[in-house]
Amino acid sequence: MRPSSLEVLDLTLPVVADPELETLIETRVGQLVRQLSSTSSPTGGSRGELGVRFFEKRRRKAGGLGGWLTGTAKGEEEICWEAWKLKITLTTPRTETGELHV
Protein backbone atom coordinates (compact mmCIF):
# COMPACT_ATOMS: atom_id res chain seq x y z
CA MET A 1 0.00 0.00 0.00
CA ARG A 2 1.18 3.44 -0.84
CA PRO A 3 -0.44 6.39 0.91
CA SER A 4 -1.44 9.50 -0.97
CA SER A 5 -3.12 12.69 0.18
CA LEU A 6 -6.40 14.49 -0.33
CA GLU A 7 -7.13 18.20 0.13
CA VAL A 8 -10.34 18.88 2.10
CA LEU A 9 -11.26 22.30 3.55
CA ASP A 10 -7.65 23.53 3.57
CA LEU A 11 -6.51 20.30 5.25
CA THR A 12 -4.22 17.69 3.78
CA LEU A 13 -5.45 14.24 4.78
CA PRO A 14 -3.62 10.95 4.24
CA VAL A 15 -5.51 8.45 2.08
CA VAL A 16 -4.96 4.82 1.14
CA ALA A 17 -6.96 3.56 -1.82
CA ASP A 18 -7.31 -0.13 -0.97
CA PRO A 19 -10.67 -1.87 -1.54
CA GLU A 20 -9.77 -4.68 0.87
CA LEU A 21 -9.03 -2.19 3.66
CA GLU A 22 -12.24 -0.24 2.94
CA THR A 23 -14.27 -3.48 3.13
CA LEU A 24 -12.63 -4.41 6.44
CA ILE A 25 -13.40 -0.98 7.93
CA GLU A 26 -17.01 -1.05 6.72
CA THR A 27 -17.48 -4.56 8.14
CA ARG A 28 -16.09 -3.67 11.57
CA VAL A 29 -18.05 -0.41 11.81
CA GLY A 30 -21.22 -2.29 10.81
CA GLN A 31 -20.55 -4.86 13.56
CA LEU A 32 -20.16 -2.06 16.12
CA VAL A 33 -23.38 -0.34 15.02
CA ARG A 34 -25.33 -3.62 15.19
CA GLN A 35 -23.90 -4.37 18.64
CA LEU A 36 -24.70 -0.90 19.96
CA SER A 37 -28.17 -0.94 18.39
CA SER A 38 -29.03 -4.23 20.08
CA THR A 39 -27.91 -3.02 23.52
CA SER A 40 -29.50 0.43 23.66
CA SER A 41 -30.56 1.68 27.06
CA PRO A 42 -34.09 2.74 28.11
CA THR A 43 -33.04 6.37 27.54
CA GLY A 44 -32.54 5.58 23.85
CA GLY A 45 -28.77 5.59 23.57
CA SER A 46 -25.80 3.31 23.81
CA ARG A 47 -22.07 3.80 24.04
CA GLY A 48 -19.01 1.95 22.83
CA GLU A 49 -15.39 2.39 21.86
CA LEU A 50 -13.57 1.81 18.61
CA GLY A 51 -9.81 1.41 18.57
CA VAL A 52 -7.75 2.27 15.50
CA ARG A 53 -4.02 1.61 15.29
CA PHE A 54 -1.63 2.62 12.52
CA PHE A 55 1.37 0.41 11.80
CA GLU A 56 4.53 0.72 9.79
CA LYS A 57 6.52 -2.24 8.57
CA ARG A 58 10.25 -2.02 9.20
CA ARG A 59 12.96 -4.40 8.19
CA ARG A 60 14.40 -6.20 11.19
CA LYS A 61 18.05 -5.85 11.88
CA ALA A 62 20.05 -9.02 12.20
CA GLY A 63 20.17 -9.94 15.84
CA GLY A 64 23.26 -12.15 15.74
CA LEU A 65 23.15 -15.50 17.50
CA GLY A 66 20.55 -14.22 20.00
CA GLY A 67 18.28 -13.18 17.12
CA TRP A 68 18.66 -16.59 15.54
CA LEU A 69 17.65 -18.29 18.79
CA THR A 70 14.61 -16.06 19.31
CA GLY A 71 13.50 -16.04 15.68
CA THR A 72 14.03 -12.29 15.18
CA ALA A 73 17.02 -12.42 12.87
CA LYS A 74 15.22 -11.72 9.56
CA GLY A 75 12.06 -10.31 8.09
CA GLU A 76 9.90 -7.36 8.98
CA GLU A 77 8.29 -6.14 12.16
CA GLU A 78 5.21 -3.99 12.56
CA ILE A 79 5.67 -0.83 14.62
CA CYS A 80 2.57 0.98 15.91
CA TRP A 81 3.16 4.70 15.32
CA GLU A 82 -0.26 6.00 16.38
CA ALA A 83 -3.31 4.70 18.23
CA TRP A 84 -6.76 6.24 18.51
CA LYS A 85 -9.55 5.40 20.96
CA LEU A 86 -12.85 6.69 19.59
CA LYS A 87 -15.77 6.91 21.98
CA ILE A 88 -19.03 6.28 20.13
CA THR A 89 -22.49 7.28 21.34
CA LEU A 90 -25.60 6.24 19.39
CA THR A 91 -28.68 8.26 20.19
CA THR A 92 -32.23 8.45 18.92
CA PRO A 93 -34.24 11.62 18.39
CA ARG A 94 -36.39 12.66 21.35
CA THR A 95 -38.60 15.15 19.50
CA GLU A 96 -40.48 15.10 16.23
CA THR A 97 -38.15 17.75 14.83
CA GLY A 98 -35.25 15.31 15.12
CA GLU A 99 -33.29 17.09 17.86
CA LEU A 100 -30.76 14.78 19.42
CA HIS A 101 -30.30 14.70 23.16
CA VAL A 102 -26.98 13.28 24.34
Side-chain angles (χ1 to χ4, degrees):
M1 271 188 262
R2 291 282 179 230
S4 59
S5 62
L6 177 67
E7 298 291 326
V8 178
L9 301 174
D10 295 329
L11 294 173
T12 303
L13 303 173
V15 180
V16 176
D18 181 5
E20 187 176 323
L21 180 60
E22 288 179 24
T23 301
L24 176 64
I25 292 170
E26 288 173 5
T27 301
R28 297 291 171 89
V29 169
Q31 289 172 349
L32 177 65
V33 169
R34 281 190 300 280
Q35 179 184 357
L36 292 177
S37 296
S38 68
T39 61
S40 63
S41 70
T43 60
S46 52
R47 298 172 189 252
E49 290 184 354
L50 182 65
V52 180
R53 294 186 292 168
F54 298 89
F55 290 89
E56 172 183 355
K57 286 188 178 182
R58 291 188 186 166
R59 188 175 307 271
R60 279 186 215 244
K61 296 180 182 178
L65 183 58
W68 179 78
L69 292 173
T70 61
T72 60
K74 296 181 186 177
E76 294 180 333
E77 61 182 333
E78 291 184 340
I79 306 295
C80 181
W81 56 271
E82 188 162 0
W84 299 350
K85 184 193 282 188
L86 306 172
K87 294 185 178 190
I88 309 293
T89 303
L90 292 183
T91 61
T92 54
R94 290 297 202 140
T95 66
E96 290 185 3
T97 60
E99 294 176 358
L100 295 178
H101 296 274
V102 180

